[in-house]
Amino acid sequence: MRHANRLLLGVVVLVCASCARNQSSSFASAQELFGRTVTQYHQPSADAKDAERDALLRHAAAGYAQVLRQYRDQPFWCAQALRSLANVRAAQGRFDEAVSLYSRVGKDYPRNDWEVLQAWKSAADLLWDAGRRAEARKFYLLIVSRFGDDGAAPVAKIILEASKRRLFAGGSNAAFTAASQSWP
């Protein structure tokens, strides 16, 4: 009986060690794919023109989509990939799709605060600049509601203050009230 227990314990230890190695390997692989996508395609697209820019953005979108498909067990990298895919869609002029993807960051990866904050701010600013102020205010309200505590990091406080300025644009709380009542 003791021999069987030791054997079982040994198997459990080996399985756990294997899982830890696979998680570490998966993290590194997701990091490598994400990094390659950023440096080879997404960053260069900022300086490219016309067909070259379009091709780089398509490759960037494909790389981020691959991270999301292949490394679902890596929320740290998937949250960044999803937000980056939204950035690509915004750069392609696909604003509604970009806003939808930015919104998904908060739904799919709610524990990744920094990515959620950046995604919501990007969605809000994109909508604001497109003249869709009521929709933008919904995202600014989410930012203020979730990140508006005194313990926020300094950079988050800067984003929070900018969001408050936009949320209360017009000089009254009417915008805040309207936005808060129309958001689920």
Side-chain angles (χ1 to χ4, degrees):
M1 188 67 159
R2 282 187 162 178
H3 181 62
N5 286 343
R6 286 185 194 161
L7 182 60
L8 180 60
L9 179 62
V11 168
V12 168
V13 168
L14 285 174
V15 167
C16 289
S18 175
C19 288
R21 267 194 307 275
N22 287 342
Q23 280 284 31
S24 176
S25 173
S26 183
F27 182 91
S29 297
Q31 179 183 27
E32 191 276 327
L33 177 57
F34 181 84
R36 184 169 15 102
T37 299
V38 170
T39 58
Q40 289 181 359
Y41 305 115
H42 201 168
Q43 287 175 339
S45 74
D47 296 324
K49 302 282 185 228
D50 304 322
E52 180 187 8
R53 179 180 180 271
D54 293 343
L56 288 167
L57 288 172
R58 276 195 310 277
H59 286 298
Y64 296 136
Q66 184 178 353
V67 170
L68 291 165
R69 274 190 321 276
Q70 199 168 333
Y71 299 103
R72 291 181 185 153
D73 64 330
Q74 297 300 320
F76 178 81
W77 294 110
C78 285
Q80 290 183 64
L82 186 57
R83 185 178 58 79
S84 295
L85 179 57
N87 290 341
V88 168
R89 296 303 185 224
Q92 292 172 323
R94 296 162 65 173
F95 299 127
D96 289 333
E97 186 178 351
V99 170
S100 177
L101 293 169
Y102 287 133
S103 183
R104 273 189 47 206
V105 174
K107 292 174 188 161
D108 295 355
Y109 306 101
R111 292 188 174 133
N112 292 69
D113 286 342
W114 179 246
E115 294 303 321
V116 172
L117 178 61
Q118 288 185 316
W120 289 351
K121 181 70 164 78
S122 294
D125 290 346
L126 185 64
L127 290 164
W128 186 271
D129 292 343
R132 296 163 62 178
R133 304 283 165 92
E135 293 172 84
R137 282 187 175 101
K138 293 174 186 179
F139 283 98
Y140 292 128
L141 178 61
L142 283 173
I143 292 168
V144 170
S145 297
R146 178 162 171 187
F147 299 101
D149 65 30
D150 292 334
V155 70
K157 286 182 181 180
I158 292 169
I159 294 170
L160 180 64
E161 289 307 311
S163 297
K164 285 180 182 178
R165 279 194 301 278
R166 290 270 173 98
L167 187 58
F168 297 115
S172 73
N173 287 338
F176 177 82
T177 303
S180 64
Q181 290 174 347
S182 64
W183 194 257

